[in-house]
Amino acid sequence: MNDTPLANCERDFLLKAIEEKKRLDGRQPYDYRRMKITFGSDYGCCFVDLGKTKVVAQVSCELVAPKESRPNEGIMFFNIELSPMASPAFERGRQSELSVTLNRQLERCLRNSKCIDTESLCVVSGEKVWQIRVDVHLLNHDGDLMGAASVAAITALCHFRRPDVSIQGDEVTVYGPEERDPIPLSIYHMPISVSFSFFQQGTYLLVDPCEREEQLMDGLLMIAMNKHREICSIQSSGGILLLKEQVIRCSKIASVKVSEITELISKALENDKKARKAGSRCGFAESMPQERITALKKDETSVEVSDVMDRANDIIQKSEVPPRAVSSVVVPVPGVGQVGQGLQNSWGLEEEDDDDDDDENGGGELEEKVMKMEEESRGGDVVEISDSEEEEVVVLHSETAK
């Protein structure tokens, strides 16, 4: 069942606790783990939590041709999917021996026990019947897979509603849930599987074993029974020989457990029906807690706006008159142009450096350029100024050209 085997010290500890009629989770030998049943938003979707074992069952239907041997009966199909998400021991896309055993046991429990009226699934004899498919997916594995799967499957079947149909001649019309209310399945009884594990050749007995207990057990007995104490199926595995008294004792224990689980299923279905009728939160949305965002909450304080103008006038009168701005002549830096009366411009002036040699050289070059510009302006219409330090060429048009 698990890729990681138990250590010898852990094995000895568990066996010693079983001899003293103690279990790791604090249960008694004949106690079940806490079971929780919830439903999805759609009909036929059921979630079952048996301790840490989590299973989801989904029921679907479609119109197909019936079997030749039974033309007046519908078809029931069951499938159990063991994914690696539930346990590392399971492989994806490969049907293991455990999955085959669980599929057969589920078919014996639900289909062979005739808990569902298959004749009511017939639409047209020999032509059209309903095929009911039950897919069971294991979400987390912690022991007693058959017990959780059987509860999820029968609860999903009780919760499922198939579409209504009408027949006019050879034409079959399927109505959606908006046109006509869907019809529930006809279920006679609810068989539920109860698992019993035996230790030390049947000396000790535990009900609803967890995964660690299943690794230590010598044999497993699964009894499917309804609340009327009718045994639907029974299967033993592990190669252990059981006495008649042991089987009878297990059947008596199973009758009590099945009655309790059946009452729990009926209560869950009734609560879901009331919630859907009232239009309140139901199914998976009911288990989600309501969370409110408090980070954006603002403290609302009352603000009086009646005397705002009076207060504003008082503040203006009490305030000091700002000093008048005094215009001052600012000496412009080289390369700055200013607009206004009494302001100086520095266009065409080079930046002065601290070095005297640079000042002398820069001044001489400037005078030569100015003289050259005057000579060229007299002789031609267009003046071109080129500077070795500047990459751009500026073209100036003189007024005499006009």
Side-chain angles (χ1 to χ4, degrees):
M1 296 294 293
N2 195 347
D3 290 339
T4 305
L6 295 176
N8 293 332
C9 57
E10 189 175 6
R11 182 184 298 269
D12 295 339
F13 175 79
L14 291 174
L15 292 176
K16 184 66 175 178
I18 292 173
E19 292 178 0
E20 298 178 0
K21 297 184 179 180
K22 297 180 181 179
R23 306 176 76 169
L24 294 179
D25 49 8
R27 292 183 292 160
Q28 297 297 323
Y30 299 161
D31 289 347
Y32 248 80
R33 288 173 289 181
R34 182 178 178 270
M35 181 178 295
K36 181 181 178 182
I37 300 175
T38 56
F39 300 96
S41 58
D42 298 334
Y43 283 107
C45 182
C46 177
F47 297 85
V48 173
D49 297 349
L50 183 59
K52 294 183 179 180
T53 301
K54 300 181 182 297
V55 175
V56 56
Q58 178 65 56
V59 182
S60 58
C61 65
E62 62 176 343
L63 287 174
V64 297
K67 296 182 180 179
E68 296 181 357
S69 58
R70 296 179 179 178
N72 299 328
E73 295 183 5
I75 301 174
M76 296 291 299
F77 181 77
F78 298 92
N79 178 43
I80 296 181
E81 184 71 22
L82 305 180
S83 64
M85 178 181 62
S87 175
F90 303 144
E91 298 182 9
R92 182 176 181 85
R94 181 179 178 182
Q95 196 172 17
S96 61
E97 182 180 357
L98 177 61
S99 62
V100 174
T101 303
L102 292 176
N103 268 298
R104 292 177 179 176
Q105 180 65 13
L106 192 62
E107 290 178 356
R108 295 192 190 102
C109 178
L110 299 179
R111 186 175 62 184
N112 297 348
S113 63
K114 303 294 182 181
C115 65
I116 299 177
D117 184 12
T118 55
E119 293 183 357
S120 62
L121 301 176
C122 180
V123 179
V124 179
S125 179
E127 296 182 4
K128 296 289 184 179
V129 295
W130 286 108
Q131 178 182 357
I132 306 298
R133 178 187 177 95
V134 182
D135 292 299
V136 180
H137 293 268
L138 180 63
L139 304 180
N140 189 36
H141 172 40
D142 192 31
D144 197 6
L145 299 181
M146 187 59 203
S150 64
V151 174
I154 190 62
T155 308
L157 287 171
C158 295
H159 188 256
F160 179 68
R161 303 290 187 273
R162 66 171 178 84
D164 193 8
V165 296
S166 64
I167 304 173
Q168 294 180 357
D170 296 337
E171 184 180 357
V172 178
T173 305
V174 180
Y175 297 96
E178 297 83 5
E179 299 174 346
R180 292 188 182 181
D181 294 336
I183 302 173
L185 301 178
S186 179
I187 299 177
Y188 297 130
H189 57 90
M190 292 187 292
I192 298 171
S193 178
V194 182
S195 301
F196 302 89
S197 58
F198 295 91
F199 300 86
Q200 296 185 5
Q201 299 300 320
T203 305
Y204 302 100
L205 171 65
L206 295 181
V207 179
D208 183 24
C210 62
E211 184 183 8
R212 292 186 177 181
E213 294 171 347
E214 288 183 349
Q215 297 184 37
L216 296 175
M217 65 183 181
D218 298 331
L220 181 66
L221 178 65
M222 293 180 289
I223 299 177
M225 184 182 296
N226 56 23
K227 66 177 183 179
H228 306 293
R229 297 185 179 181
E230 298 174 350
I231 296 179
C232 302
S233 67
I234 184 170
Q235 182 176 354
S236 175
S237 62
I240 186 174
L241 297 177
L242 300 177
L243 299 177
K244 181 179 67 175
E245 291 78 8
Q246 292 175 326
V247 177
I248 294 175
R249 183 178 63 175
C250 292
S251 63
K252 292 181 180 180
I253 298 173
S255 63
V256 177
K257 301 301 179 183
V258 166
S259 300
E260 297 175 356
I261 297 174
T262 303
E263 183 178 356
L264 177 63
I265 294 174
S266 302
K267 185 178 180 180
L269 292 171
E270 183 179 357
N271 294 338
D272 182 78
K273 184 178 180 180
K274 291 181 180 179
R276 291 178 184 273
K277 187 176 181 180
S280 58
R281 290 159 53 94
C282 61
F284 206 57
E286 185 181 2
S287 60
M288 299 175 62
Q290 290 183 349
E291 298 180 357
R292 296 181 179 179
I293 300 176
T294 57
L296 302 179
K297 184 178 180 181
K298 297 182 179 180
D299 295 334
E300 298 181 357
T301 57
S302 58
V303 180
E304 297 180 0
V305 295
S306 59
D307 57 346
V308 173
M309 296 301 297
D310 298 340
R311 293 183 181 181
N313 294 330
D314 295 342
I315 294 174
I316 293 173
Q317 292 177 2
K318 293 180 181 179
S319 62
E320 298 180 357
V321 178
R324 300 180 63 181
V326 179
S327 61
S328 60
V329 179
V330 180
V331 178
V333 296
V336 176
Q338 299 181 357
V339 178
Q341 184 178 4
L343 299 179
Q344 300 180 3
N345 297 329
S346 61
W347 291 109
L349 300 178
E350 298 290 338
E351 295 182 358
E352 298 180 356
D353 298 333
D354 296 338
D355 194 356
D356 297 334
D357 298 337
D358 295 341
D359 294 340
E360 295 177 358
N361 296 334
E365 293 178 358
L366 179 59
E367 292 177 358
E368 293 177 0
K369 291 181 181 179
V370 172
M371 295 174 63
K372 186 176 180 180
M373 290 170 58
E374 292 178 352
E375 293 176 357
E376 292 179 356
S377 63
R378 295 171 184 174
D381 297 338
V382 180
V383 179
E384 293 184 4
I385 301 176
S386 63
D387 192 356
S388 60
E389 297 179 357
E390 300 291 337
E391 295 181 358
E392 299 181 355
V393 178
V394 180
V395 180
L396 300 178
H397 298 273
S398 62
E399 294 180 357
T400 58
K402 299 180 181 179

